[in-house]
């Protein structure tokens, strides 16, 4: 009987030690403990060493670090009726552990589902060109909407980043043709603008040269210098316009196309 009593005492001591040690919990710096007292919310404890009374109090750990969540690829139709697949990444953290545990059953799953539906809804209101080019604006809109929707869950959405926008092969070829046509249009506009500026400069140069006849002669000599430096077999000498006018004046009445007339000859009467 004495041995059985000793075993019973030893068992009681072991149970007390186990019960005593289970009362102490250690929470890391980024963790908080939501304490429930007989099923009702009591307080938030942590970090560090905390005391939880067994069978009376229960604790739920909550991580306060920023969580990186991948949003799966979503099929959506843009406003200009183009089917695309878009995936993104979501960054959020728990600000209020009490709301995150009490107001929502599983805040991780709820945030993921909300991000998927919000991304389909928001991107579906924009055209394909906006989805491809205005990603910063779309990311800001998604972050703002998700942050407002998860505020009652004690969650702060810090950022949303669209990663990939997948298109069909036919749409990729259409975009390539559109880009090629746009480059061709820009090239034509640039060429036309250059022709316009060149014509204005030539007009101004003609005015300056017309004011000083000596300038035309200097230009003629410069042209001869440039021609003489060429090693080609054919050399073209530009003829000054003044030389043609002088030759025409020297020809006088003997220029081709004019008939000699005797002033003493009688005039034909019709």
């Amino acid at each position: 009987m004495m041995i059985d009593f000793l075993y019973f005492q030893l068992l009681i001591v072991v149970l007390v030690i186990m019960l005593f040690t289970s009362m102490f919990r250690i929470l890391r710096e980024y963790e908080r403990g939501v304490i429930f007292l007989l099923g009702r919310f009591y307080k938030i404890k942590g970090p560090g060493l905390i005391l939880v009374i067994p069978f009376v109090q229960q604790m739920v750990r909550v991580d306060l670090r920023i969580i990186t969540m991948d949003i799966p690829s979503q099929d959506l139709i843009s406003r200009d009726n183009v089917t695309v697949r878009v995936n993104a990444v979501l960054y959020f953290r728990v600000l209020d552990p009490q709301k995150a545990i009490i107001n929502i059953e599983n805040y991780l799953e709820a945030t993921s589902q909300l991000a998927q539906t919000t991304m389909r809804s928001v991107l579906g209101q924009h055209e394909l060109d906006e989805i491809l080019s205005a990603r910063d604006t779309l990311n800001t809109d998604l972050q703002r909407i998700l942050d407002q929707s998860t505020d009652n869950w004690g969650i702060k959405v810090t950022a949303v980043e669209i990663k990939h926008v997948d298109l069909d092969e036919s749409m990729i070829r259409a975009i390539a043709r559109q880009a090629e046509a746009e480059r061709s249009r820009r090239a034509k506009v640039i060429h036309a603008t250059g022709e316009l500026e060149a014509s204005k400069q030539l007009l101004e140069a003609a005015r300056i040269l017309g004011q000083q006849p000596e300038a035309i002669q200097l230009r003629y000599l410069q042209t001869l210098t440039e021609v003489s430096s060429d090693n080609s077999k054919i050399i073209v000498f530009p003829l000054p316009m003044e030389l043609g006018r002088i030759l025409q004046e020297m020809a006088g009445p003997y220029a081709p196309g004019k008939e000699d007339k005797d002033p003493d000859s009688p005039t034909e009467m019709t």
Side-chain angles (χ1 to χ4, degrees):
M1 295 295 294
M2 183 63 66
I3 296 177
D4 293 339
F5 182 72
L6 291 176
Y7 279 126
F8 179 75
Q9 288 182 338
L10 181 60
L11 180 61
I12 295 298
V13 171
V14 172
L15 291 177
V16 170
I17 293 174
M18 293 177 59
L19 184 63
F20 183 77
T21 54
S22 64
M23 294 173 59
F24 296 97
R25 306 289 179 85
I26 297 177
L27 296 178
R28 296 180 177 89
E29 183 65 31
Y30 55 84
E31 291 179 332
R32 297 295 183 272
V34 181
I35 307 299
F36 292 91
L37 178 62
L38 298 177
R40 297 179 62 87
F41 173 75
Y42 176 59
K43 64 165 49 175
I44 297 175
K45 293 185 177 181
L49 181 65
I50 64 173
L51 180 64
V52 179
I53 302 175
F55 308 111
V56 178
Q57 294 179 342
Q58 296 83 32
M59 184 190 71
V60 180
R61 292 176 182 264
V62 179
D63 196 328
L64 301 184
R65 292 177 296 181
I66 294 179
I67 300 174
T68 303
M69 177 178 293
D70 184 65
I71 303 176
S73 298
Q74 302 295 313
D75 294 326
L76 57 93
I77 300 177
S78 61
R79 192 171 64 178
D80 50 352
N81 296 325
V82 178
T83 303
V84 295
R85 290 178 61 88
V86 182
N87 65 341
V89 60
L90 175 66
Y91 301 91
F92 67 96
R93 62 189 297 261
V94 177
L95 288 182
D96 192 339
Q98 178 183 353
K99 292 182 178 180
I101 297 300
I102 296 177
N103 293 355
I104 191 71
E105 179 183 3
N106 188 337
Y107 65 89
L108 294 176
E109 182 65 22
T111 304
S112 176
Q113 295 298 325
L114 180 62
Q116 296 177 34
T117 55
T118 303
M119 187 173 65
R120 289 196 300 267
S121 176
V122 172
L123 298 185
Q125 300 175 5
H126 296 271
E127 296 183 356
L128 178 61
D129 293 340
E130 297 177 354
I131 297 176
L132 295 176
S133 59
R135 291 194 180 185
D136 293 338
T137 303
L138 296 177
N139 292 336
T140 303
D141 293 341
L142 288 171
Q143 186 269 336
R144 176 178 52 81
I145 295 173
L146 289 174
D147 190 32
Q148 293 176 355
S149 301
T150 58
D151 184 65
N152 193 38
W153 302 345
I155 293 175
K156 172 64 178 178
V157 177
T158 57
V160 179
E161 296 292 338
I162 298 175
K163 294 195 299 184
H164 298 292
V165 179
D166 297 330
L167 302 174
D168 295 334
E169 292 294 333
S170 59
M171 183 56 60
I172 294 177
R173 290 193 295 268
I175 293 176
R177 291 194 298 268
Q178 179 183 1
E180 184 179 358
E182 179 66 19
R183 288 193 296 269
S184 178
R185 182 188 68 83
R186 292 180 182 178
K188 292 180 180 179
V189 170
I190 293 173
H191 179 72
T193 304
E195 291 291 337
L196 177 61
E197 294 179 357
S199 64
K200 292 180 180 179
Q201 296 296 328
L202 289 174
L203 178 61
E204 185 66 21
R207 288 176 182 171
I208 297 174
L209 292 175
Q211 294 176 1
Q212 296 292 335
E214 295 82 0
I216 299 177
Q217 184 66 22
L218 292 175
R219 181 62 179 167
Y220 172 69
L221 295 176
Q222 181 182 1
T223 305
L224 289 179
T225 304
E226 294 175 356
V227 170
S228 62
S229 62
D230 193 0
N231 296 325
S232 60
K233 297 181 180 179
I234 300 175
I235 300 178
V236 179
F237 291 94
L239 186 66
M241 297 179 62
E242 288 79 2
L243 182 59
R245 187 165 55 251
I246 293 174
L247 293 176
Q248 185 177 3
E249 292 177 357
M250 292 177 60
Y254 300 101
K258 294 185 179 180
E259 297 180 356
D260 295 338
K261 294 184 180 180
D262 188 1
D264 299 332
S265 60
T267 303
E268 294 182 0
M269 301 297 293
T270 57

